[in-house]
């Protein structure tokens, strides 16, 4: 297994971890505010469909991206309405949205494009093209550093870089700003925020909204960056893996990056059985690789690697007490 | 706007200074329950004003209206003589009102500083806000003798300290009016004294303080004036120095109340319960009981005093068969199982131990179940209640009706869900269930927590009656008054150990307070 193969696998890791990372950060905002979001999957899926559909129709991937974000925001809004305004069960709302997205996207796709529940393949300006970082061409020849820069880091769609930048941005927002302090507080003890004269409802909607935007980008990346068009159930459980990564990361942004890279690597390896065979002396079933994120999460939850303590008010609707 | 304020200010000065708080005709109903009815109240500036009343008298509702948690159905609020709308907490803070709730509103894994700043930040970025708060906090802490480490996490400091953080939070928001809801419930006597010193200091600085409590002693000790609330209505407002606890109790309850527990000296018989070197280690490997030994004899009440969380709960749970332990416990001379499958509540009951748990809503009752169903719990296998697989529901109902009559549970309706009874009546249901089993040993935790004065008197009498019938009683309470009034002997627990044993008539509250704080004088009985 040569250096080139390593670069290839890591390159694939970076691409595959992007939707996970965006969804994971979306979950981080939502859950840090006390709203459990099992519907990350749903938001990504509708965003994937609408971004692909609109990008195909208009020919512009950017309009597609906006449509994806808008669709995701609508779903986020429904989740907010159910769990914040009407104080419903957050898990039930999330599961319902997952079902809704799964059925709705295929139904509309069939009705619009008549291609068996998919959108036509996207070409040209309807897709996010890889962009080259500055000097990518000129340093390509330098040993070690050259391939890492020009093959691994350069040549991804812009959304990959957006996802990476979202990590420090999230960290900064959460731990260096007033909004972040309040957001973290509302997920721990909403009564403290309420009595301090800050709106619990407002903060939670803001968090759910941010989650909507991030899931929208994640979904759009799936359909217009990673692949060229929408296909049925194309999120393939990424929303759940992102949730697993969130627990793995113990609800912290930088750790989320690590967790998503790890899970992305596992996905990349599952696609490269030749590499897996070269690494392991025995035949490693692909299914085992696919299930690793969940196994690792269970290990974390069982308390083997420190304690994963979720935000204390997570999952509970806020009711003013007498 | 300024002109208007000045004019009305001048008008107020003409008739003497406007009261800090004036309520006019405040009413508030929750469904069919009228929590506050046409309440009017004036609290003068720079005074400590007490509001006393039983649970459910409407004190907390009234203060929640003042802090913008609820909107009043009718009525008017005037702050410093100006009519003020308080639709939310933000408006209350803007009007200079700060509130220290009974259950603190702090973010546990935030630092003191972050909690103080939360909601009152200077700008969008945190750093400058935190730096400014740190300076002001040090200043306030010095001024009012409220030293706290700004960087300590809330979950790592004690409740007394947490309460200081709540007060600092209010002061940081420039509160002129400070409302404290049952502030001493979680404090040791020494901490309570410190709190009162802080409150007096604040009053002398010109702040207005409203103290909500059901403890007469606190009213007498720290307030200047006091109002009595009863059944949603505001009764008399009195000058504290011109009244006495008996008069206040009568105003609260509407009849004469015996504040002292009326009991004859104990005549202890043979040893019923013997505990030796009892140890409990919890899930986090923390030792909660560190070698406890004591005895309870027939016909006596042993009171366990201590600040909540020093091992009293674990002691009750071990004896009640709810958690395992090591050591030796004998009941009537035979050992109790402390580990394994035989260590359970059912076996304990079979051995003659009845248990009134500390938290009746979590461990004593199922709140959504009817009273008669709750009366069966723990005794569901009793042949009187069940024959084989089937429960004798009609019999149970009749039995419950009898218990409710004998224990004066109101309303005496066995079909009513537990949650629909008041705290005192819930407690009476639990007591009736346990006491009427005629146990050799009664374990009773916090028998009067959240129970109003009238019911306290009744519950205390029942416990004394059981003692006089020659039973052993282990009483755990964080209320020192209750321990002193009810116990025949007192053991004080601190940090999983018994710090000492005292006789109620040979000790003082101050001495017990020291033991509760972990200061041992070598006279300990462990």
């Amino acid at each position: 297994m040569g250096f080139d193969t390593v670069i290839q696998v890591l390159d694939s890791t970076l691409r595959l971890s992007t939707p996970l990372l965006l969804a994971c950060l979306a979950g981080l905002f939502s859950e840090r505010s006390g709203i459990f979001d099992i519907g990350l999957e749903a938001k990504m899926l509708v965003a994937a469909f609408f971004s692909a559909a609109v990008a195909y129709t208009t020919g512009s991937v950017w309009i597609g991206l906006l449509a994806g974000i808008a669709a995701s925001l609508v779903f986020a809004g429904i989740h907010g309405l159910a769990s914040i305004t009407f104080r419903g069960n957050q898990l039930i709302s999330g599961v319902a949205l997952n079902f809704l997205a799964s059925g709705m996207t295929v139904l509309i796709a069939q009705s619009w494009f008549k291609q068996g529940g998919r959108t036509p393949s996207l070409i040209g300006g309807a897709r996010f093209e890889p962009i080259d970082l500055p000097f990518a061409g000129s340093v390509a020849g330098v040993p070690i550093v050259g391939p890492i820069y020009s093959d691994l880091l350069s040549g991804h769609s812009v959304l990959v870089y957006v996802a990476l930048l979202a990590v420090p941005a999230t960290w900064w927002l959460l731990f260096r700003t007033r909004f972040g302090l309040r957001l973290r507080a509302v997920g721990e003890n909403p009564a403290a925020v309420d009595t301090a004269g800050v709106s619990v409802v407002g903060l939670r909607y803001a968090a759910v909204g941010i989650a909507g935007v991030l899931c929208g980008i994640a979904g759009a990346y799936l359909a217009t960056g990673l692949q060229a068009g929408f296909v049925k159930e194309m999120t393939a459980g990424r929303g759940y893996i992102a949730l697993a990564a969130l627990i793995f990361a113990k609800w912290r942004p930088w750790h989320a990056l690590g967790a998503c890279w790890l899970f992305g690597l596992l996905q990349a390896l599952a696609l490269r059985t030749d590499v897996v065979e070269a690494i392991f002396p025995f035949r490693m079933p692909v299914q085992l690789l696919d299930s690793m994120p969940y196994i690792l999460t269970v290990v974390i939850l069982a308390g083997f690697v420190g304690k994963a303590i979720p935000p204390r008010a997570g999952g509970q609707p806020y009711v003013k007490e007498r | 706007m300024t002109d208007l304020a000045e004019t009305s200010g001048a008008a107020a000065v003409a008739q003497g200074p406007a009261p800090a708080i004036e309520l006019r005709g405040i009413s508030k109903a929750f469904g069919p329950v009228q929590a506050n009815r046409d309440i009017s109240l004036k609290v003068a500036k720079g005074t400590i004003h007490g509001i006393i009343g039983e649970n459910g008298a409407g004190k907390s509702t009234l203060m929640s209206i003042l802090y913008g948690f609820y909107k009043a159905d009718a009525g008017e609020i005037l702050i410093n003589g100006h009519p003020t709308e308080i639709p939310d907490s933000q408006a209350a803070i803007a009007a200079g009102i700060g509130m220290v709730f009974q259950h603190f509103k702090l973010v546990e894994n935030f630092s003191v500083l972050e909690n103080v700043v939360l909601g009152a930040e200077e700008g969008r970025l945190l750093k400058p806000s935190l730096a400014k708060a740190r300076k002001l906090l040090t200043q306030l802490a010095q001024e009012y003798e409220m030293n706290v480490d700004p960087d300590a996490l809330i979950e790592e400091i004690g409740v007394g300290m947490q309460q200081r953080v709540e007060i600092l939070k209010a002061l940081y928001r420039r509160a002129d009016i400070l409302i404290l809801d049952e502030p001493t419930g979680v404090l040791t006597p020494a901490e309570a004294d410190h709190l009162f010193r802080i409150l007096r200091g604040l009053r002398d600085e010109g702040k207005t303080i409203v103290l909500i409590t059901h403890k007469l002693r606190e009213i007498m000790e720290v307030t200047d004036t006091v109002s009595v609330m009863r059944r949603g209505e505001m009764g008399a407002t009195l000058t504290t120095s011109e009244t006495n606890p008996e008069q206040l109790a009568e105003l609260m309850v509407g009849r004469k109340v015996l504040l002292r527990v009326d009991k004859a000296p104990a005549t202890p018989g043979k040893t019923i319960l013997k505990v030796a070197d009892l140890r409990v280690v919890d899930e986090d490997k923390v030792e909660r009981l560190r070698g406890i030994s004591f005895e309870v004899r027939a016909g006596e009440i042993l009171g366990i005093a201590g600040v909540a969380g020093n091992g009293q709960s674990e002691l009750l749970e071990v004896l009640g068969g709810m958690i395992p332990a090591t050591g030796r416990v004998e009941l009537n001379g035979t050992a109790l199982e402390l580990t394994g499958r035989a260590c359970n509540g059912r076996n304990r009951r079979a051995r003659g131990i009845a248990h009134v748990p500390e938290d009746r809503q979590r461990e004593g009752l199922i709140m959504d179940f009817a009273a008669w169903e709750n009366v069966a719990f723990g005794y569901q296998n009793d042949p009187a209640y069940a024959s084989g697989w089937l429960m004798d529901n009609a019999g149970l109902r009749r039995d419950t009706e009898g218990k409710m009559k004998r224990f004066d549970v109101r309303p005496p309706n066995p079909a009513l869900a537990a949650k629909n009874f008041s705290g005192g009546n819930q407690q009476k249901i639990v007591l009736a269930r346990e006491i009427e089993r005629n146990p050799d040993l009664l374990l009773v935790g916090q028998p009067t927590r959240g129970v109003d004065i009238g019911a306290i008197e009744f519950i205390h009498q029942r416990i004394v009656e059981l003692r006089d019938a020659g039973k052993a009683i282990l009483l755990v309470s964080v209320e020192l008054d209750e321990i002193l009034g009810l116990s025949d002997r007192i053991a004080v627990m601190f940090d999983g150990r018994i710090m000492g044993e005292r006789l109620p008539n040979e000790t003082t509250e101050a001495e017990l307070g020291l033991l509760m704080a972990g200061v041992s004088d070598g006279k300990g009985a462990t």
Side-chain angles (χ1 to χ4, degrees), chain B residues 491-502:
Chain B
V492 183
M493 278 187 75
F494 172 76
D495 197 24
R497 289 190 181 88
I498 289 183
M499 299 304 293
E501 273 190 26
R502 296 287 183 274

Side-chain angles (χ1 to χ4, degrees), chain B residues 30 39 53 73 98 124 133 145 149 173 195 219 227 272 298 303 338 370 396 408 419 434 450-451 488 496 514:
Chain B
F30 296 99
I39 286 184
D73 301 334
R124 291 185 180 280
E145 215 193 316
D149 172 9
R173 287 159 173 75
L195 173 69
I219 292 287
S227 302
I272 299 282
L338 294 180
L396 244 173
D408 190 33
K419 65 179 175 194
E434 304 300 337
V451 168
D488 300 313
L514 280 177

Side-chain angles (χ1 to χ4, degrees), chain A:
Chain A
M1 189 179 56
F3 183 62
D4 285 354
T5 322
V6 173
I7 291 287
Q8 279 168 18
V9 169
L10 292 182
D11 183 64
S12 158
T13 300
L14 200 54
R15 278 183 285 117
L16 288 167
S17 63
T18 294
L20 294 182
L21 184 56
L22 286 163
C24 186
L25 292 176
L28 193 146
F29 274 104
S30 189
E31 300 210 347
R32 278 279 191 167
S33 83
I35 302 292
F36 282 162
D37 194 354
I38 209 165
L40 295 173
E41 181 90 357
K43 289 197 274 285
M44 275 200 282
L45 198 58
V46 289
F49 169 70
F50 280 99
S51 61
V54 171
Y56 175 76
T57 319
T58 61
S60 161
V61 71
W62 290 103
I63 299 179
L65 174 66
L66 288 180
I69 292 175
S72 174
L73 273 173
V74 169
F75 266 54
I78 297 173
H79 188 53
L81 209 61
S83 52
I84 305 170
T85 305
F86 295 118
R87 304 188 191 112
N89 185 306
Q90 299 166 8
L91 295 183
I92 293 177
S93 162
V95 170
L97 287 173
N98 282 343
F99 280 122
L100 182 65
S102 161
M104 188 181 93
T105 47
V106 179
L107 186 76
I108 302 178
Q110 177 60 20
S111 154
W112 285 0
F113 302 108
K114 310 261 184 299
Q115 292 194 359
R118 56 186 298 159
T119 62
S121 287
L122 303 176
I123 42 162
R127 267 200 82 187
F128 277 108
E129 296 295 334
I131 53 172
D132 285 329
L133 296 181
F135 315 114
S138 47
V139 296
V142 183
I144 313 288
V145 182
I148 289 179
Y149 185 72
S150 32
D151 294 341
L152 176 57
L153 297 180
S154 174
H156 294 286
S157 94
V158 64
L159 296 186
V160 172
Y161 304 112
V162 168
L164 291 177
L165 287 176
V167 176
T170 301
W171 173 84
W172 183 80
L173 198 60
L174 275 183
F175 296 103
R176 286 291 179 271
T177 70
R178 174 176 72 184
F179 174 73
L181 182 78
R182 293 175 175 184
L183 189 80
R184 285 181 288 132
V186 82
E188 292 289 334
N189 185 358
V193 174
D194 194 16
T195 52
V198 183
S199 162
V200 172
V201 170
L203 274 171
R204 288 191 161 170
Y205 266 108
V208 167
I210 293 173
V213 171
L214 289 170
C215 278
I217 301 174
Y221 174 75
L222 276 178
T224 63
L226 199 60
Q227 292 173 37
F230 171 85
V231 291
K232 180 182 169 189
E233 299 286 5
M234 76 180 305
T235 43
R238 284 187 172 86
Y240 301 106
I241 297 181
L243 279 181
L246 184 59
I247 296 168
F248 204 75
K250 298 175 185 172
W251 295 267
R252 290 174 293 190
W254 287 107
H255 293 69
L257 180 63
C260 290
W261 273 349
L262 176 64
F263 292 177
L265 175 68
L266 291 168
Q267 288 188 340
L269 286 175
L271 296 175
R272 287 290 297 264
T273 41
D274 57 321
V275 178
V276 177
E277 273 163 26
I279 300 173
F280 297 99
F282 53 92
R283 256 193 90 241
M284 174 81 121
V286 172
Q287 288 85 346
L288 188 63
L289 281 175
D290 283 337
S291 55
M292 276 315 276
Y294 302 111
I295 295 173
L296 287 174
T297 305
V298 169
V299 169
I300 287 277
L301 279 178
F304 288 113
V305 199
K307 257 190 184 170
I309 304 165
R312 261 164 249 196
Q316 301 158 6
Y318 177 60
V319 185
K320 283 188 190 200
E321 55 180 296
R322 261 218 262 181

Side-chain angles (χ1 to χ4, degrees), chain B residues 76-235:
Chain B
E76 209 184 353
I77 301 170
L78 286 85
I79 303 295
N80 297 324
H82 306 297
T84 311
E85 287 282 327
I86 306 182
D88 52 28
S89 305
Q90 203 164 7
I93 294 166
I97 301 173
M99 180 124 174
V100 176
F101 289 86
Q102 187 177 5
H103 303 287
F104 304 143
K105 309 290 183 189
L106 297 169
V107 182
E108 296 254 304
N109 55 1
F110 276 21
S111 70
V112 168
L113 200 58
E114 287 172 317
N115 267 290
V116 168
V117 158
L118 180 68
E121 304 89 345
E122 295 292 316
R124 291 185 180 280
L125 295 183
L126 272 186
K127 260 192 186 146
S129 306
L130 290 175
K132 198 185 154 218
R134 186 182 295 275
K135 253 173 77 184
L136 199 64
L137 209 58
T138 339
Q139 224 176 321
L140 286 170
Q142 275 175 359
E143 204 174 336
Y144 297 111
E145 215 193 316
M146 280 192 280
N147 281 322
V148 286
D149 172 9
D151 298 309
L153 294 182
I154 296 298
E155 57 198 357
E156 286 165 2
I157 61 178
V159 277
M161 210 61 120
Q162 292 181 2
Q163 188 170 57
R164 263 170 250 170
V165 177
E166 283 282 18
I167 296 172
L168 285 168
K169 246 169 85 176
L171 295 178
Y172 184 74
R173 287 159 173 75
R174 298 194 185 82
D176 282 323
I177 300 166
L178 195 61
I179 305 169
L180 295 105
D181 192 2
E182 303 282 359
T184 60
V186 289
L187 304 182
T188 62
E191 283 175 320
D193 284 344
H194 190 177
L195 173 69
F196 293 157
R197 269 210 307 284
I198 293 170
L199 295 184
R200 287 190 200 106
L202 288 168
R203 174 193 59 193
D204 297 342
E205 291 279 318
K207 310 256 185 217
T208 307
I209 289 161
V210 178
L211 183 74
I212 304 169
T213 182
H214 66 273
K215 293 184 189 169
L216 294 162
R217 204 160 43 88
E218 279 167 23
I219 292 287
M220 298 311 296
E221 192 172 335
V222 76
T223 64
D224 301 311
T225 47
V226 52
S227 302
V228 184
M229 277 190 84
R230 184 162 171 252
R231 290 186 189 158
E233 290 181 52
M234 188 61 81

Side-chain angles (χ1 to χ4, degrees), chain B residues 193 292 303 312 383 422:
Chain B
D193 284 344
I292 290 222
Q312 307 98 306
S422 73

